[in-house]
Amino acid sequence: MNATKTTRLLSIARPGRVVCAALCWFLSAGWCGAQMQRGWRDRDVDKDAIGVATGMLLQAVQVMDAAVWRVEVRIQQKEIVVRTGEESDWRPAGSASGLISGGDFDFTGKGDPIGNIHRIGINVNMWTTGDNGKTWEIGTRNPNIPEFWVVGLPLRGWTAHTMFEPMGREEHEDGFWLHVRSWHSEQPIDCWFSMNEKGEPACVRRVEAQFTDPTVRAMRKRSFLYTVEITPAKQGEKIAAPGVK
């Protein structure tokens, strides 16, 4: 066990809150216990460091619920030949930008695989437009399920059911970020989150996640690479229904 890595993680965060977050995650993710046991046998790993890193990441996601954040998403795509495994180079595919606050969002998407769409979700209500806001389709939604999946999955869906191991610390203008990476995962997810002045997880700042569409077309699969950049929203920015300022 790498005691140094675990000690380093604990030294930059308030131990009580981090350990509680890690324990809550382990208890809520009991379904992956068999995968964990298989993984521990596969190679020598620091189980404590993985538990702490995962708990800290989930705490950073939870802390974000209390504020409004601006998110920019860049999507790249490549094709994989099923028969030979040959892969093309990554190329730009689509993008999305907007605001998130807890389960609410206001996002505009462009290109593949999102489509040109503007969608707003507040509590159980959702508004969608494909003509730059000239007309809106009104519907309902489950606020616990991220409708705008291009952001919801990398930030909430994938991180909620994945274990993460610490990769290092990076210095940035607004302080230092911790880098964690999905452990024992077929499709890698990298997350960076910042720490506040008390040494507690403050905000997820960047997510890089790769997802391969299992659908086969013309003997090819498509793989997408999502890069999600998150910054505090500007003063006055908020999520509101169409026509409400």
Side-chain angles (χ1 to χ4, degrees):
M1 178 181 296
N2 189 342
T4 302
K5 185 177 290 186
T6 305
T7 303
R8 187 177 302 139
L9 275 172
L10 289 171
S11 68
I12 57 179
R14 181 172 291 180
R17 296 188 66 179
V18 171
V19 171
C20 286
L23 288 175
C24 288
W25 175 84
F26 276 120
L27 292 174
S28 65
W31 62 271
C32 65
Q35 180 190 22
M36 290 169 55
Q37 293 301 323
R38 288 196 300 270
W40 304 146
R41 292 193 296 268
D42 287 347
R43 60 186 174 91
D44 184 23
V45 297
D46 186 343
K47 292 180 286 186
D48 293 335
I50 289 176
V52 172
T54 302
M56 292 174 71
L57 174 61
L58 294 183
Q59 185 177 340
V61 173
Q62 293 170 357
V63 169
M64 293 175 65
D65 290 348
V68 181
W69 305 88
R70 175 154 290 281
V71 179
E72 302 288 337
V73 183
R74 185 175 70 255
I75 305 173
Q76 301 179 74
Q77 171 184 319
K78 68 179 178 181
E79 291 189 340
I80 304 172
V81 180
V82 175
R83 190 171 185 178
T84 64
E86 181 181 356
E87 300 181 1
S88 66
D89 294 331
W90 289 107
R91 62 177 180 81
S95 63
S97 62
L99 303 172
I100 60 172
S101 179
D104 297 344
F105 60 85
D106 182 339
F107 268 92
T108 300
K110 296 180 180 178
D112 195 30
I114 307 169
N116 299 319
I117 192 172
H118 183 184
R119 182 170 289 170
I120 300 173
I122 302 175
N123 295 323
V124 298
N125 302 309
M126 185 165 63
W127 297 263
T128 303
T129 180
D131 56 10
N132 296 319
K134 294 179 182 179
T135 59
W136 290 88
E137 178 183 340
I138 303 175
T140 59
R141 59 181 284 261
N142 183 340
N144 296 317
I145 299 176
E147 296 283 353
F148 211 100
W149 59 269
V150 70
V151 175
L153 275 180
L155 185 58
R156 294 181 181 277
W158 290 338
T159 57
H161 301 295
T162 306
M163 296 176 291
F164 287 83
E165 60 180 328
M167 300 303 295
R169 163 177 165 159
E170 300 178 4
E171 296 292 339
H172 291 264
E173 293 182 359
D174 59 345
F176 69 88
W177 298 1
L178 294 183
H179 175 200
V180 297
R181 176 174 295 161
S182 57
W183 177 80
H184 214 259
S185 175
E186 295 181 0
Q187 303 190 92
I189 308 170
D190 285 86
C191 298
W192 290 259
F193 56 91
S194 59
M195 308 291 287
N196 62 22
E197 64 279 0
K198 297 180 181 179
E200 301 168 338
C203 171
V204 178
R205 302 304 301 268
R206 180 184 177 93
V207 180
E208 289 185 358
Q210 186 173 331
F211 169 73
T212 299
D213 187 345
T215 305
V216 177
R217 297 185 179 90
M219 298 305 295
R220 286 175 168 80
K221 290 183 179 180
R222 294 186 302 170
S223 186
F224 297 96
L225 177 63
Y226 301 89
T227 301
V228 183
E229 304 280 357
I230 304 170
T231 56
K234 296 180 181 179
Q235 186 174 2
E237 285 190 311
K238 63 180 182 179
I239 300 171
V244 177
K245 296 183 178 180

